[in-house]
Amino acid sequence: MYVSVSNKCKGCGVCATLCPEVFDVCGSFVIANQEHVCGNEDSCIDAALYCPQNAIMIKEY
Ligand code: SF4
């Protein structure tokens, strides 16, 4: 799974709450592990679904 966060991110922290293994809030934006074999891919997908800015993009390998 490949995860990236666009510059639409406002740093609300929803993604880091749902999937802290992948997303880390840093000030007003989020750092996502670019390539991550997530232990719980469903939580990562939830983060993308619930991002209010629609800033999270996920691609399957
Ligand atoms: S949920 Fe979206 S807007 Fe909020 S911190 Fe994560 S990527 Fe940014």
Side-chain angles (χ1 to χ4, degrees):
M1 173 178 275
Y2 176 90
V3 182
S4 63
V5 178
S6 79
N7 61 8
K8 293 189 292 186
C9 171
K10 300 295 184 190
C12 69
V14 168
C15 56
T17 299
L18 291 171
C19 193
E21 302 91 349
V22 174
F23 301 98
D24 187 20
V25 178
C26 182
S28 60
F29 62 94
V30 153
I31 299 168
N33 292 334
Q34 290 290 301
E35 294 188 38
H36 191 86
V37 180
C38 193
N40 186 351
E41 295 193 353
D42 286 347
S43 66
C44 198
I45 293 167
D46 281 349
L49 289 174
Y50 288 109
C51 171
Q53 298 296 320
N54 197 25
I56 299 171
M57 289 145 290
I58 295 176
K59 291 181 190 170
E60 301 290 337
Y61 288 121

